[in-house]
Amino acid sequence: MPVTEDYLFSQGHMWCRLMEDGDYLIGVSDHAQKSLGEIVYVELPDPESEIAQGEPLGVIESVKVVNDLIAPISGTVIEANDSLVDQPAVVNDSAYDAGWMLRIRLKSPEQLNNLLNHAQYLALVG
Amino acid sequence: MQKHLIVIGAGPAGYVAALQAGAAGLRVSLIGGHDLGGTCLQRGCIPTKTLIASCEVLDKCRDASKFGLELQGTIAPDWPALRRRMESVVGTMTGGIDGLLEQRGITRIPGRARLLDTRRVALEDGSPLHGDAILICTGSVPAVPAAFPVDGQRVVTSDEALRWTSLPASLVIIGGGVIACEFAFIFQTLGVAVSVIEAEDRPLAGEDTAISTVIQREMRKRRIRFLPKALVEQMEVDDAGVRCYQNGQLLASAERALIAIGRRANTAGLDLDAAGLKPGRRGEIPVDRHLQTCVPGIYAAGDVNGRLMLAHAASAQAQLAVRHLLGERTDPIQDENVARVTFTRPEVASVGLSEQQALERGLEIRCGSFDFRALGKAHAGGELAGLVKVVAQADTGRLLGVHMVGAHCAEMIHEAAVIVNAQGSVEDICRTVHAHPTLSEGIYEAAESIFGVAPHKPDVRPSTQDTVHASYRRLSV
């Protein structure tokens, strides 16, 4: 699925995207899934917990490494993508679509100013 | 004339002491044959490891397709058959100890004993027995707060769990230490829905935090529900099951509950007073570094002295006590340098100081870690989870501690245990060529990453030549 203009990116290689109901979906970038290799486990926070921009929200485990997932925005977890529990490799196949990780109720809209658009993110990762 | 040693208790401390003393030419009376091998053999280490072996086979079979194997039909645990296997293994080992005691001419006296004075005990039938020295090895029992109604069926300790005639559909485990975590992984593998309630903020709180982090993640992967910083204050038990509350709030409910919050010294009925012995704060019998109590000639080894609560420590202490009693020179056991192993899956093993403990002591340290998944053997074996963490003294490179979580770590820790106990250094690990492909290479890589460059560690920033050479610590010792 091509990345559209509404995808914003963090330096921590996560994206967020505004949904119709005002909440944001977040996930990891295609660059991230490529450098991580086959994803074997994603540890995500429970619904109703809080995440904070720049702080670890969970863990992503691949066949190569175990890395923290750094939150691109602050907010409340509304929903976690349960399909990743049994099929974490969906993140590799479809990082921007079926591999979404969390649905977040955004806390501070001004945080979006810290994020990059797709072109800027691509420039960052070379 | 032959000296007479009375040993009370026949667990890993008692029977080992008896065998050693017998071999050294002492006359030995071993009281307590009803529980040969103690908690370790009858209710603890051996039965649970037998179960865990079956769990490993079960897990591997469930993952058969991952290994390129086609399993036709299904595989399922058969609890009565699992129990029979446990009993068979325990029976074999009990017979083995029996045979050894027989060979060394140890006098076996069944039943319990209590102290009459500093040199005499009363046997179960009341008759007195005089010894030149007494070694108390009565072990420990599960600690159970009064608020928990242990009935041996719905609410149990580890003693009764292994004797269940059937498995529950769900289980709450109270406690998050070694025994609690081992049982959590065992029962989850056997198909039980498990919750673990722990007062500390992490599982295996006695280990380095790096280990707890991995184990907590592995619990999550298996859907073992872990509730940290939670204390069960009330427990309701009825036909519907068990419900655990803190401050009126429901923490967890399940069909049954397993209490595993620790063990306390077993001195009930010993009549310590009669020999002038006073139990410590937790009911343990205090001893000095020679395992001798405040009464010369009376020793206490194993769980009953509250020092380490580990079967191998019990045996080591027993041997030390016997050698001291024989007038031999003994080197005291450094408690923190006794290896500790936990058979969760993945396994946990550690020796020496954790990073946190070293910092608490004000030591200047450097740490290095290495994830097993960077090793070919981990991938070949299909066992990726785990890491090695090495704690070293910053200026000398002295090895302070090694902490591991991963497959086979309980075996691998002994490389580190030897070095730590020999007061060796990180360099001793680094200059030893580790065979390839093995998981032990992870120990080498973690050690090398502290002062040098670990060949296979990802994300290592290149340093200048000066930095690399300056940071190498070569010890001539």
Side-chain angles (χ1 to χ4, degrees), chain B residues 154 260 268 311 364 380 384 393 408 435:
Chain B
R154 215 175 257 292
E364 275 239 13
L384 298 185
Q393 193 136 0
H408 315 293

Side-chain angles (χ1 to χ4, degrees), chain B residues 125-474:
Chain B
D125 64 4
S127 57
L129 182 66
H130 179 279
D132 297 299
I134 300 174
L135 175 56
I136 302 172
C137 305
T138 48
S140 63
V141 290
V144 183
F148 298 157
V150 171
D151 59 13
Q153 250 313 303
R154 215 175 257 292
V155 181
V156 302
T157 68
S158 55
D159 287 354
E160 298 92 22
L162 297 173
R163 293 202 297 267
W164 275 330
T165 49
S166 67
L167 289 177
S170 57
L171 178 68
V172 176
I173 299 179
I174 302 175
V178 173
I179 295 173
C181 288
E182 284 192 2
F183 274 113
F185 281 85
I186 289 172
F187 286 122
Q188 179 277 330
T189 306
L190 298 178
V192 179
V194 176
S195 303
V196 177
I197 303 178
E198 162 60 41
E200 298 279 353
D201 63 352
R202 56 193 176 99
L204 301 180
E207 299 286 346
D208 191 284
T209 51
I211 286 185
S212 297
T213 301
V214 175
I215 290 298
Q216 195 163 350
R217 184 175 320 131
E218 294 301 311
M219 283 176 150
R220 261 189 98 117
K221 287 182 192 174
R222 289 174 179 268
R223 328 229 189 170
I224 296 170
R225 202 172 144 238
F226 180 74
L227 286 89
K229 294 195 277 215
L231 204 59
V232 178
E233 289 165 349
Q234 304 98 25
M235 195 187 285
E236 269 172 23
V237 186
D238 55 33
D239 285 335
V242 181
R243 289 169 302 284
C244 299
Y245 296 89
Q246 177 174 15
N247 220 0
Q249 270 223 311
L250 179 69
L251 291 174
S253 67
E255 191 183 316
R256 301 183 204 164
L258 166 62
I259 318 285
I261 57 169
R263 298 178 65 85
R264 57 173 180 79
N266 176 32
T267 55
L270 268 180
D271 217 355
L272 296 176
D273 224 23
L277 291 171
K278 285 212 167 353
R281 222 173 11 99
R282 289 164 295 126
E284 80 281 11
I285 302 178
V287 295
D288 64 17
R289 66 206 194 104
H290 304 298
L291 288 312
Q292 191 159 225
T293 66
C294 60
V295 175
I298 302 186
Y299 296 77
D303 284 8
V304 77
N305 67 30
R307 266 175 59 176
L308 274 172
M309 314 300 265
L310 293 169
H312 44 286
S315 301
Q317 288 175 5
Q319 289 175 297
L320 213 149
V322 168
R323 287 174 50 207
H324 184 259
L325 153 68
L326 289 170
E328 288 176 24
R329 202 198 85 112
T330 57
D331 290 318
I333 297 167
Q334 282 291 112
D335 285 359
E336 66 239 15
N337 293 344
V338 173
R340 309 160 286 267
V341 298
T342 304
F343 289 86
T344 43
R345 280 166 37 258
E347 289 176 8
V348 166
S350 64
V351 66
L353 301 175
S354 66
E355 176 179 1
Q356 301 80 55
Q357 287 169 335
L359 292 174
E360 270 163 31
R361 293 192 189 190
L363 296 170
E364 275 239 13
I365 58 171
R366 296 267 287 276
C367 300
S369 70
F370 188 79
D371 197 306
F372 279 122
R373 74 192 61 221
L375 293 174
K377 186 61 157 50
H379 285 265
E383 292 164 323
L384 298 185
L387 54 82
V388 180
K389 178 172 173 179
V390 176
V391 181
Q393 193 136 0
D395 54 355
T396 57
R398 175 155 166 191
L399 190 62
L400 297 174
V402 173
H403 311 274
M404 305 203 273
V405 50
H408 315 293
C409 282
E411 303 291 349
M412 291 193 284
I413 194 66
H414 295 93
E415 167 181 354
V418 169
I419 299 175
V420 165
N421 281 282
Q423 296 172 24
S425 70
V426 165
E427 189 58 25
D428 290 323
I429 301 176
C430 294
R431 72 161 143 255
T432 303
V433 179
H434 290 62
H436 176 81
T438 64
L439 296 176
S440 287
E441 293 175 78
I443 302 171
Y444 161 74
E445 297 265 353
E448 192 65 272
S449 77
I450 301 182
F451 299 112
V453 177
H456 293 91
K457 186 163 173 159
D459 296 333
V460 173
R461 299 262 171 279
S463 348
T464 64
Q465 272 300 104
D466 289 340
T467 318
V468 168
H469 286 307
S471 70
Y472 267 104
R473 292 284 182 269
R474 303 226 175 262

Side-chain angles (χ1 to χ4, degrees), chain A residues 40-41 43-46 59 61-66 85-86, chain B residues 213 216-218 220-221 223 371 373-374 379 384-385 458-459:
Chain A
V40 297
Y41 181 66
E43 187 176 303
L44 297 171
D46 293 322
V59 170
E61 203 181 305
S62 77
V63 289
K64 294 202 287 189
V65 287
V66 179
V85 173
D86 289 324
Chain B
T213 301
Q216 195 163 350
R217 184 175 320 131
E218 294 301 311
R220 261 189 98 117
K221 287 182 192 174
R223 328 229 189 170
D371 197 306
R373 74 192 61 221
H379 285 265
L384 298 185
D459 296 333

